[in-house]
Amino acid sequence: VRAQGDTYQVVADVSQFEPPDIVVTTSNCHVAIQAEKVAEDGTVCDTFTHKCQLPEDMDPLSVRCALTEAGTLVITARRR
């Protein structure tokens, strides 16, 4: 978690996954990123999981995420 001005930022490289395969959830001050690549035969061939705790002074209603064209997931949250 990086602080930049009045926001916190979490960055993850998920370029090996398609956007529908990526799930971001928040609960309390925690952010979880999960991604799973499924082969044509239904077997899971790649997974990604990352969990982190955001600082307590972040605004939980301000959490946003964006996926860049290069496959970088950027999660931001504002400080109160």
Side-chain angles (χ1 to χ4, degrees), residues 37-65:
K37 187 185 293 186
V38 180
E40 289 184 19
D41 64 359
T43 59
V44 176
C45 56
D46 196 5
T47 61
F48 175 86
T49 303
H50 181 75
K51 296 179 182 179
C52 66
Q53 182 172 352
L54 293 171
E56 292 183 16
D57 68 337
M58 68 97 189
D59 177 5
L61 298 177
S62 72
V63 177
R64 302 282 182 263
C65 63

Side-chain angles (χ1 to χ4, degrees), residues 1-5 7-9 79:
V1 177
R2 289 186 286 183
Q4 291 187 328
T7 61
Y8 292 110
Q9 187 177 66
R79 290 176 150 172

